[in-house]
Every structure is written in structure tokens, then in C-alpha cells.
Amino acid sequence: MQILVATTNPHKLEEINPVFREFGIEGIGLSPIQQQIPEPDENQDTFLGNAELKALYYAKETRKICLADDSGLVVDALSGRPGVHSARYAGHTGARAERDAANNAKLLHELTGIPEAERRARFLCAMCCASPDGRIIAVSEGAFGGAI
């Protein structure tokens, strides 16, 4: 059985597939089909909302069960920013490494002058699995706390 994993990041597939294999499932990524299917506009206010949007969209477009996620960093001292805008926080497009570097630089700049004790943050991740008929099969959310 195959499940589409809504990602072009090969590292996500490397992390997910060992778990899937235990259940006889193969995770396939978007790379082979991304030229034919445009990305949906991630316009939801929550990580779970964006994960559901992507899972439902790609399941319908590909007629495959789809697992999608949305994740990002929530920094208390920045009123929860970058939040759902984490991936494009600095507004850069292009290669992932360039976007990540620009996002990190903007975040650190915004934290200038904020004492270390007040730099609490959480990495949040929401995942959703949807079927081609528009049903949400499962959702999960998790958080990992720390400081910047």
C-alpha cells in the first residue's frame, strides 16, 4: 500500500518510511507529481488547518490517501510569531536553504535585546491523513518546547 506524503523534502520521507514499513506501507513524496499539480494556498490560521487543507487537496488531486503536515516555531516574546508563517517568515522565495537562513536571521534580529530567560519557544507540528473521498482519517498535534 502507498500513501502520498505531501512533501518535496526527501528527509521527511527518510524519517517516515521506517515507521510505515512496519505496517507494510510505502510513503511516496510529491516530487514526481509536483509539476502537474500546483501547491495549494496555505491560508489557514492554524497548523492543523493547513495540514488538513493540504491533506484533503492532495488526496483529491491524486486519488491517493495523503498524509500532510504543517509545522513551525512559536516564540512567546514575539507574540507567537513566526507561527504558521515560519516557512516564509522573511518573505524569501527560492531554495530551502536560502529561505531557512533568511528566516533564522529575521527571527534572531527580532529577538535582539530580549533576555535569554524570556526567549521561550515551541516547535509545533500538526499532521492530517485524508482519503480521496474527502474524509479526514486521522489528525495529530505535538509540541516540543525550548528556548531560542
Side-chain angles (χ1 to χ4, degrees):
M1 173 181 186
Q2 287 186 333
I3 291 180
L4 176 67
V5 180
T7 186
T8 56
N9 182 344
H11 301 296
K12 274 189 191 174
L13 288 174
E14 290 171 6
E15 293 170 351
I16 290 171
N17 268 323
V19 177
F20 276 1
R21 278 189 214 103
E22 293 182 27
F23 300 96
I25 299 169
E26 176 191 12
I28 57 170
L30 289 173
S31 292
I33 61 168
Q34 77 184 82
Q35 302 300 331
Q36 297 107 5
I37 301 173
E39 289 184 20
D41 182 21
E42 295 179 40
N43 57 10
Q44 302 300 301
D45 294 332
T46 65
F47 295 110
L48 183 56
N50 282 328
E52 289 176 349
L53 179 147
K54 289 189 289 188
L56 290 166
Y57 172 81
Y58 284 116
K60 179 182 174 190
E61 290 295 317
T62 64
R63 307 301 304 156
K64 293 184 179 294
I65 292 173
C66 180
L67 177 66
D69 76 291
D70 195 36
S71 58
L73 194 58
V74 174
V75 181
D76 295 343
L78 300 178
S79 302
R81 288 188 323 271
V84 294
H85 306 288
S86 292
R88 294 169 184 84
Y89 191 49
H92 284 259
T93 58
R96 177 181 218 84
E98 293 170 11
R99 287 192 329 255
D100 289 350
N103 291 337
N104 291 342
K106 180 176 180 177
L107 179 68
L108 292 173
H109 175 72
E110 289 184 338
L111 288 170
T112 300
I114 296 177
E116 194 172 316
E118 296 175 26
R119 291 179 169 213
R120 287 179 304 282
R122 291 168 306 293
F123 181 79
L124 300 180
C125 180
M127 298 186 87
C128 178
C129 188
S131 67
D133 65 5
R135 287 181 302 116
I136 292 178
I137 298 168
V139 298
S140 181
E141 294 179 279
F144 188 82
I148 304 293

